[in-house]
Amino acid sequence: SNMLDELSKPYVETAIAKGMKPAAMLRKYPLRMAFNPFVADIGNLLPAMVSGSVLVSVVLGLQTIGPYLLTALKSQDQFLAAFVLMFVALLTLIGTMISDVLLMLLDPRIRMGGRAR
């Protein structure tokens, strides 16, 4: 749906009117813009894999970090619970950094640093 939305924008019609080849125009403009929401969501994917596994592993009885976190919270083992939560926070930071770098490479309007005056 993002791609269909981008194809109806004026810059696509302008590129076609100027004689740009359709395949090159698709790669250069609308495809890169349509990927922005997906790439921006990568930051949430890494911690969601760990936190979502808590429910799945408890229900299925798998020996992953999920049951250990639940046991640590029930027995008030603050060090193990804090480690798991800090690990999820670290995954959030890493995921956000990866998505920011990919967005910077994908979209030329996004750059590191502020605007030069």
Side-chain angles (χ1 to χ4, degrees), residues 2-105:
N2 289 340
M3 184 67 166
L4 290 175
D5 188 39
E6 289 295 322
L7 287 175
S8 65
K9 300 259 174 111
Y11 67 87
V12 174
E13 295 173 9
T14 303
I16 291 172
K18 288 187 175 188
M20 191 172 205
K21 293 182 181 170
M25 185 268 306
L26 280 176
R27 279 192 313 271
K28 185 165 180 158
Y29 298 114
L31 186 64
R32 292 171 69 179
M33 296 304 135
F35 273 138
N36 279 357
F38 298 114
V39 172
D41 203 32
I42 288 175
N44 298 330
L45 225 70
L46 288 175
M49 286 191 299
V50 173
S51 63
S53 72
V54 173
L55 296 172
V56 172
S57 59
V58 168
V59 170
L60 296 178
L62 301 174
Q63 291 300 318
T64 61
I65 202 162
Y68 291 123
L69 174 62
L70 194 59
T71 305
L73 291 173
K74 285 181 183 177
S75 66
Q76 296 181 355
D77 183 2
Q78 63 186 6
F79 297 111
L80 181 59
F83 168 74
V84 173
L85 295 176
M86 289 292 286
F87 182 69
V88 171
L90 180 70
L91 285 179
T92 304
L93 289 174
I94 291 171
T96 303
M97 186 181 76
I98 290 171
S99 70
D100 286 347
V101 169
L102 287 176
L103 277 173
M104 185 185 70
L105 294 173

